[in-house]
Amino acid sequence: MSDKNVHKAGFTPSGISQGSLASSMMSREAKASGGGVHSGGPTSTLQEMGARGTTHSSGFTSSGISSGSLASSKMSQEARSHGGGTPRGGTTSTVQSI
């Protein structure tokens, strides 16, 4: 994953771009959770990466999730909380897809 892809999706240093994939994700996530976007969810994770420009060192790569990385840790945590698998549309799968 590259900073360029994250920024193109609308996650930027100045916030989420209006009319972007990021704004659509934020809207869907907020509706699903009753009006807010949760810390650690797909939108907040991607926005943090877009604001800081940290995608290269996060462990989300074009060939998969790097062992021992932040991405690996997030994936393990998410899998434990969902009974052993990472759900489609969850933080790990969403961030990895971008």
Side-chain angles (χ1 to χ4, degrees):
M1 175 170 54
S2 71
D3 293 330
K4 180 180 172 184
N5 289 349
V6 172
H7 292 162
K8 282 172 71 174
F11 299 99
T12 72
S14 59
I16 291 178
S17 300
Q18 185 176 355
S20 66
L21 171 63
S23 68
S24 176
M25 281 179 60
M26 183 175 68
S27 176
R28 283 192 313 265
E29 192 175 336
K31 286 176 185 173
S33 67
V37 176
H38 296 286
S39 176
T43 301
S44 65
T45 299
L46 283 161
Q47 180 53 38
E48 180 181 354
M49 291 177 173
R52 293 185 181 179
T54 59
T55 60
H56 298 295
S57 61
S58 66
F60 292 98
T61 73
S62 59
S63 57
I65 292 177
S66 300
S67 177
S69 66
L70 172 64
S72 174
S73 175
K74 284 189 175 283
M75 183 176 69
S76 292
Q77 180 182 19
E78 189 173 19
R80 281 192 302 275
S81 70
H82 287 91
T86 54
R88 181 179 224 171
T91 301
T92 303
S93 63
T94 302
V95 174
Q96 181 62 29
S97 72
I98 290 178

